Amino acid sequence: MTAAPVIKARGLNLTFQTNDGPVHALKDIDLDIEKGDFVSFIGPSGCGKTTFLRCIAALETPTGGELSVNGMSAEEARKARSYGYVFQAAGLYPWRTIAGNVKLPLEIMGYTKDEQAKRVEKVLSLVDLEGFGKKFPWQLSGGMQQRASIARALAFDAEILLMDEPFGALDEIVRDKLNEELLKLWSATNKTIGFVTHSIPEAVYLSTKIVVMSPRPGRIHEVIESTLPRGPRPLDIRDSEEFLQIAHRVREGLRAGHAYDE
Amino acid sequence: MKMVAPVLTVLAAIILLWYGATVWLNSQWTYDQAARAGQEVSFSEVVVDTMNQKRPVLPAPHQVAEGLWQGVFGQKFTSKRSLVFHGWITLSATLAGFALGTGLGILLAVGITHSRAMDLSVMPWAIASQTIPILAIAPMVIVVLASLGITGLLPKAIIAAYLSFFPVLVGMVKGLRAPDHMQLDLLKTYNASQGATFWKLRLPSSMPYLFASLKVGVAASLVGTIVAELPAGATRGLGARLLSGSYYGQTVQIWSALFAAAALAAILVVVVGIIEQITLKRMGMVR
Ligand SMILES: Nc1ncnc2c1ncn2[C@@H]1O[C@H](COP(=O)(O)OP(=O)(O)OP(=O)(O)O)[C@@H](O)[C@H]1O
Ligand SMILES: [Mg+2]
């Protein structure tokens, strides 16, 4: 690795002050994410995956440690509009059409009308939603709405894509399809992606790097580098020996991480 | 169409009850008259008489209906006795006050949602303003403004605005605060300015809340205008009509004016409702 990491965390800590006392959501997180990496975060509920992603996006402020994004602080990177964030729910604005929703960041960032139209068309076809631009969100299925929200995050040129369980609510088949599309998209754009999931196969299928986290306090238990080829992968790679081995390691990691509790 | 039968049933029941009450309340006068003349009256004679007294305690429905018909179609619209004339006077002040109150309510709501200081300082006063009975404050406003030479529409509009700004303020504050954390965080990841957040998220989110409170506000405006027409001196408007009716014991006139006011209120609320439907439909918020 020659270039500096895009995301670099050193001794990152975050404690929420709640009415029931402090909650140590992140403890001593050390992590490097290189440019073009596809990093999945996996771990039991409440282990701080969302919180870490929100720290990177400067939606949460760490209470200790260092975090740099593109060599800047997370806050500066946010102001430089370095990332697209895909939330767990699609969160489309009901009063905007699909095209209007995708256009939202472009309007805010001051793109010209021509440029807006061009980009909307491009990203909608990227997520397989050509022809749905004029529909309102409630006229689309949940999976289509989620794709629209991904299109919205892709519409502007963010180098980093942060996705918090974007496919959590979808059925297996739609999920497979979106996973495949996401991989294609990623290899076509060379973006850096941080991806939260609860699904071991999803993490292994998508990632170049899998971060296994453990709860109370939330910390990184293990970082597994994938040996699967980079770039678009066929869905049936999931039946390969190599895939199953990595999945096994992730499962072991999750189990061992959980054992801290007992 | 399914709604017609129950509505008609309720209406029929009300009219029946009303006729009953008419007989009951007006019979005293009939008996008194008969006693003075030394006559005996049968029950059926009493019933007939109670339906057609000149100054009944409670006019019968058909008397009010006739009063309304006479008031609306019985003379030129410009006549001093026309309900259309008085209705228009009241309506114009109501609309002016409603516009004023809505503008003020929205402005204050925007201020309150953007400034903590305004939230702390304005809201208590707004609430306090609504605890003062309008009947107490209306005559004072009218008198003070009259002494400054301001009469006619404006004082009434101010009272109407005083009543209508509050529901708009409360609804709008709620609406502007309706966006959830995720929607706000999304804009944060775009590094959106406060202005962009307002125009692209807060304002559109508030529309359903705004319209709900506009319906309350427009009715409140009408009440405010009528109350403002009550203090002595007013000769124009439905409120003045109510008052002069009660001076001269013209109960039919009072009830006709009351029904005219109720009809006006209903029309105003329905119009706001139609605008709401159209707006929300255009915004894609109605399926
Ligand atoms: N705003 C907050 N205030 C207080 N505590 C919080 C806040 N956000 C998260 N937490 C706590 O921090 C811990 C980590 O939460 P986080 O949402 O990051 O978990 P997660 O790994 O994303 O879980 P899940 O898989 O269920 O989404 C939890 O114990 C949670 O209760
Ligand atoms: Mg989460």
Side-chain angles (χ1 to χ4, degrees):
Chain A
M1 295 293 156
T2 45
V6 175
I7 295 164
K8 182 173 167 185
R10 286 290 174 274
L12 198 72
N13 273 276
L14 197 156
T15 309
F16 288 110
Q17 298 302 334
T18 70
N19 292 335
D20 310 328
V23 175
H24 207 161
L26 294 174
K27 182 177 178 347
D28 302 333
I29 302 285
D30 292 323
L31 186 69
D32 286 344
I33 298 178
E34 313 293 337
K35 183 159 177 53
D37 265 354
F38 195 128
V39 181
S40 286
F41 298 87
I42 192 166
S45 187
C47 69
K49 306 180 293 291
T50 297
T51 306
F52 184 55
L53 221 57
R54 289 175 60 84
C55 283
I56 299 174
L59 296 173
E60 227 53 92
T61 315
T63 45
E66 283 164 41
L67 177 66
S68 74
V69 179
N70 271 341
M72 303 176 257
S73 74
E75 183 67 20
E76 285 163 344
R78 177 177 75 78
K79 294 208 164 122
R81 291 161 172 165
S82 308
Y83 19 73
Y85 200 108
V86 179
F87 294 84
Q88 184 162 3
L92 301 172
Y93 290 180
W95 56 87
R96 282 176 171 251
T97 58
I98 296 304
N101 269 287
V102 175
K103 220 181 272 175
L104 176 74
L106 304 175
E107 287 172 9
I108 289 171
M109 296 177 190
Y111 285 77
T112 64
K113 282 251 151 47
D114 284 353
E115 185 69 20
Q116 288 179 17
K118 226 181 284 169
R119 281 175 182 251
V120 167
E121 197 179 339
K122 192 179 122 203
V123 290
L124 280 183
S125 77
L126 222 51
V127 297
D128 243 354
L129 281 177
E130 306 106 319
F132 287 93
K134 291 212 170 73
K135 298 255 192 258
F136 280 103
W138 56 267
Q139 294 170 304
L140 267 59
S141 74
M144 292 160 97
Q145 291 186 26
Q146 196 54 265
R147 290 207 303 254
S149 86
I150 293 171
R152 182 176 60 185
L154 293 172
F156 57 103
D157 297 313
E159 265 174 78
I160 305 167
L161 199 53
L162 300 171
M163 309 174 88
D164 191 357
E165 295 187 51
F167 310 137
L170 306 179
D171 72 73
E172 202 83 12
I173 294 167
V174 176
R175 200 169 173 151
D176 279 355
K177 187 166 170 345
L178 289 182
N179 278 339
E180 208 179 1
E181 282 171 13
L182 181 61
L183 263 193
K184 274 194 210 136
L185 234 159
W186 164 69
S187 18
T189 54
N190 198 32
K191 284 181 196 288
T192 309
I193 298 186
F195 187 96
V196 172
T197 179
H198 273 130
S199 154
I200 297 175
E202 188 173 66
V204 178
Y205 174 69
L206 291 172
S207 319
T208 58
K209 192 188 256 195
I210 300 156
V211 178
V212 180
M213 298 181 69
S214 63
R216 276 168 298 250
R219 69 201 120 164
I220 295 179
H221 175 71
E222 193 180 356
V223 178
I224 300 170
E225 299 281 347
S226 175
T227 51
L228 295 173
R230 283 177 89 100
R233 298 165 178 165
L235 273 171
D236 54 20
I237 202 171
R238 296 177 300 183
D239 299 324
S240 71
E241 191 58 34
E242 205 177 356
F243 183 97
L244 295 174
Q245 266 173 15
I246 300 171
H248 181 75
R249 277 183 62 194
V250 174
R251 186 169 295 114
E252 289 296 307
L254 280 171
R255 202 169 288 156
H258 228 46
Y260 283 113
D261 281 3
E262 271 81 50
Chain B
M1 276 300 115
K2 255 188 282 171
M3 282 171 50
V4 173
V7 168
L8 285 183
T9 312
V10 172
L11 191 65
I14 290 174
I15 290 179
L16 215 65
L17 265 175
W18 187 351
Y19 270 116
T22 310
V23 173
W24 177 49
L25 290 168
N26 296 344
S27 58
Q28 191 59 47
W29 194 80
T30 311
Y31 283 125
D32 289 352
Q33 284 299 98
R36 212 168 293 161
Q39 290 170 337
E40 283 283 316
V41 282
S42 71
F43 181 68
S44 59
E45 283 170 320
V46 171
V47 169
V48 171
D49 187 68
T50 53
M51 297 290 149
N52 294 299
Q53 292 173 2
K54 265 206 113 164
R55 288 177 185 182
V57 177
L58 178 67
H62 66 265
Q63 287 180 296
V64 174
E66 205 201 320
L68 266 174
W69 181 267
Q70 280 298 322
V72 175
F73 300 108
Q75 48 244 306
K76 274 199 246 162
F77 288 165
T78 49
S79 155
K80 278 268 157 75
R81 300 182 55 195
S82 165
L83 278 175
V84 176
F85 169 78
H86 291 288
W88 166 247
I89 299 284
T90 302
L91 178 66
S92 54
T94 300
L95 291 181
F98 179 52
L100 217 63
T102 302
L104 182 68
I106 292 178
L107 274 183
L108 286 176
V110 171
I112 282 173
T113 41
H114 284 90
S115 142
R116 178 121 184 88
M118 265 189 88
D119 186 15
L120 292 177
S121 58
V122 174
M123 212 48 183
W125 286 104
I127 293 169
S129 77
Q130 301 302 302
T131 62
I132 305 168
I134 185 69
L135 274 172
I137 224 172
M140 291 195 300
V141 172
I142 304 284
V143 168
V144 168
L145 287 178
S147 76
L148 295 174
I150 303 170
T151 54
L153 184 140
L154 192 62
K156 294 195 279 179
I158 288 173
I159 308 276
Y162 178 86
L163 278 195
S164 61
F165 92 92
F166 188 69
V168 175
L169 169 64
V170 172
M172 209 48 192
V173 166
K174 192 154 188 236
L176 291 174
R177 284 184 178 156
D180 58 31
H181 271 290
M182 201 192 81
Q183 291 176 313
L184 289 166
D185 281 346
L186 178 71
L187 289 186
K188 223 172 151 190
T189 66
Y190 303 152
N191 195 26
S193 63
Q194 268 211 355
T197 308
F198 176 79
W199 290 109
K200 304 214 180 284
L201 176 59
R202 290 192 190 276
L203 194 64
S205 313
S206 71
M207 282 302 131
Y209 297 84
L210 174 65
F211 278 108
S213 37
L214 285 185
K215 284 188 208 162
V216 181
V218 78
S221 267
L222 183 67
V223 172
T225 304
I226 289 176
V227 168
E229 284 167 348
L230 288 179
T235 52
R236 292 138 59 99
L238 292 176
R241 214 51 198 152
L242 283 175
L243 195 73
S244 70
S246 73
Y247 276 160
Y248 305 113
Q250 298 281 4
T251 43
V252 176
Q253 180 185 326
I254 298 179
W255 281 82
S256 303
L258 267 181
F259 271 83
L264 201 55
I267 291 170
L268 287 173
V269 171
V270 166
V271 167
V272 173
I274 291 171
I275 297 173
E276 173 184 32
Q277 281 292 315
I278 294 171
T279 311
L280 295 188
K281 193 147 214 157
R282 277 217 178 148
M283 289 173 74
M285 309 236 287
V286 188
R287 301 191 175 190

